[in-house]
Amino acid sequence: MDRVERLVVQVAESNDLLKRGGAARWRISLMLLDNTVELLLKIECDKLLLGNDLSLKYLDHIEALIASGKEYTDPTPFDDGGDPELLTEIRDRYKRNTLPADAIPKLENDFNRRVGYLITTGFLDNNYGGVLKRLHKYRNEAYHEDKIRPNTIEAAAKIYTFVACNLMERVKPGAWSMAGRGDLPDLRALFPDIEVASHSFAAPYARPLLTQSPVGTPEELGRTLSEHLAERLDEIDSDLEYLATGGSPWTETDIQTRSNTLDTIIHIHNAMAAANGTKKLNADYRRISQWRSAASKLAKGTDYVKSFDRFASLEIAIEQVEDPLRSAVFALDGHLEDERERVRWGND
């Protein structure tokens, strides 16, 4: 149960950081939650892999029977009178849930491989797994690259809070990992009314932790995600107007002018991508309108995971346009500054 205490305390500390606010605290919160989720995924993987060696031996036995020409299982004294199973069906079932011996060490320090394995076993669905991978990517960007977009990292930390609590409810480790170690003062201090029971693992603490968090309802979070993407799409329009007018703060542009400007930026980017052997972009102003419509629909979301899955997909698409636009804006800023310096020195 000391393991439960560590998991619960991490989420409780993350809740406190989220409530206090600020990009630096959201960053730490994301790391605590990522570690909590990684430990929960490890617990589930370890439980499922406990009988993997035996399953591999049984799989070899089934393969040998099939190779010898046998088609069905033999009846046993424990059968309930049902029809014998096809050996090929048994083989396929075991293959889905059994890892080759050399694949197990690769799960140890690879978050995405663990997620992929748990999708294969049916513990996670594809959407849920995709969201986990995206959240882990945010954590890596914040931790390794110090790359933080404040609104995004706050939303990611809130979604990760829900995911961590949800996994705490679902993960049930094997009996070997549930032994307790005496009193757990930090756990009792946080939740004095919850009776500590090893068989329930972390499940009793999941709902109270989520209730104490600032995550809010799925609808509230959906509105936050929607507003965040809308602001970024507005920034794209603003950058296009800035580029189209050559940096003039007094000139406004119409949609067609911004569309033509984006086409030019994408064309330049793709020409450079072709020369460098990197990926080209397939985007135009019509896509931006579609993204705006999709972003507005997020405000009506009623499911945390589905909302963030859609948000993450939209954000990836938007980032692909934001990056070359930002580079073009920086280049124009540099050019205008050079011109100002030239005029200043000329006047002197």
Side-chain angles (χ1 to χ4, degrees):
M1 286 300 292
D2 55 324
R3 176 180 278 184
V4 173
E5 184 175 63
R6 290 195 295 273
L7 293 170
V8 171
V9 168
Q10 284 198 156
V11 179
E13 289 296 319
S14 170
N15 280 344
D16 182 59
L17 289 164
L18 277 171
K19 288 174 183 176
R20 292 166 65 191
R25 293 187 182 92
W26 294 329
R27 178 178 180 270
I28 300 169
S29 168
L30 198 67
M31 292 174 196
L32 287 171
L33 293 165
D34 184 76
N35 181 254
T36 301
V37 167
E38 188 156 14
L39 289 172
L40 287 165
L41 295 181
K42 173 179 169 50
I43 290 166
E44 187 64 25
C45 286
D46 288 348
K47 180 186 71 176
L48 293 172
L49 290 171
L50 206 54
N52 197 74
D53 288 344
L54 189 61
S55 295
L56 283 172
K57 291 176 182 177
Y58 186 56
L59 190 55
D60 287 341
H61 174 66
I62 296 296
E63 292 279 20
L65 290 176
I66 293 171
S68 71
K70 196 169 180 59
E71 293 185 47
Y72 293 93
T73 54
D74 290 326
T76 73
F78 307 103
D79 286 342
D80 57 3
D83 295 330
E85 275 193 276
L86 273 170
L87 290 173
T88 51
E89 290 181 355
I90 297 174
R91 178 198 61 194
D92 293 344
R93 184 170 69 247
Y94 268 81
K95 275 188 173 181
R96 282 194 299 272
N97 297 313
T98 307
L99 281 182
D102 61 352
I104 295 176
K106 296 175 183 176
L107 290 179
E108 278 304 305
N109 298 305
D110 195 318
F111 185 96
N112 288 344
R113 283 182 187 272
R114 282 181 184 160
V115 171
Y117 172 64
L118 292 174
I119 290 173
T120 301
T121 62
F123 180 77
L124 301 173
D125 64 31
N126 283 319
N127 278 350
Y128 202 106
V131 167
L132 278 173
K133 289 178 181 180
R134 183 65 180 171
L135 289 168
H136 185 63
K137 181 175 183 290
Y138 280 141
R139 177 266 181 196
N140 285 344
E141 288 174 349
Y143 180 68
H144 295 295
E145 303 171 28
D146 202 25
K147 179 181 176 183
I148 294 176
R149 192 189 297 274
N151 288 347
T152 300
I153 201 167
E154 181 190 14
K158 286 183 176 181
I159 292 291
Y160 229 166
T161 303
F162 169 79
V163 169
C165 293
N166 179 260
L167 286 175
M168 285 171 74
E169 283 189 308
R170 296 172 57 195
V171 169
K172 301 291 189 294
W176 59 271
S177 64
M178 294 198 293
R181 265 208 248 161
D183 193 31
L184 303 169
D186 290 334
L187 199 58
R188 291 190 181 281
L190 285 168
F191 298 105
D193 297 330
I194 295 179
E195 188 64 34
V196 178
S198 61
H199 68 274
S200 57
F201 198 57
Y205 304 96
R207 286 290 155 185
L209 283 168
L210 189 59
T211 301
Q212 291 176 4
S213 78
V215 170
T217 65
E219 292 84 358
E220 289 172 324
L221 198 61
R223 284 195 294 273
T224 300
L225 298 176
S226 177
E227 289 166 4
H228 170 66
L229 291 180
E231 287 174 6
R232 288 170 66 177
L233 291 168
D234 288 342
E235 286 178 17
I236 287 176
D237 258 337
S238 178
D239 285 346
L240 287 172
E241 190 161 272
Y242 181 72
L243 292 166
T245 61
S248 170
W250 302 285
T251 307
E252 293 185 359
T253 60
D254 57 21
I255 289 177
Q256 189 58 53
T257 301
R258 294 197 294 275
S259 176
N260 293 341
T261 302
L262 180 60
D263 289 344
T264 301
I265 298 297
I266 298 297
H267 176 75
I268 294 170
H269 174 87
N270 285 345
M272 294 173 64
N276 298 330
T278 54
K279 188 177 180 180
K280 293 183 178 182
L281 290 181
N282 180 21
D284 53 32
Y285 200 82
R286 182 176 54 85
R287 290 274 180 93
I288 292 175
S289 298
Q290 292 171 346
W291 294 337
R292 199 177 286 279
S293 175
S296 69
K297 291 177 182 176
L298 279 175
K300 302 174 184 176
T302 57
D303 182 288
Y304 291 104
V305 173
K306 287 182 180 177
S307 290
F308 195 77
D309 183 40
R310 292 172 187 141
F311 168 81
S313 298
L314 278 170
E315 187 184 46
I316 291 169
I318 291 170
E319 279 177 349
Q320 291 178 337
V321 171
E322 284 176 326
D323 290 343
L325 266 181
R326 185 53 51 193
S327 297
V329 167
F330 285 154
L332 178 56
D333 284 343
H335 171 72
L336 293 175
E337 183 59 31
D338 289 344
E339 284 296 300
R340 283 190 288 270
E341 284 294 310
R342 187 179 63 80
V343 170
R344 187 180 301 122
W345 283 104
N347 290 337
D348 290 345

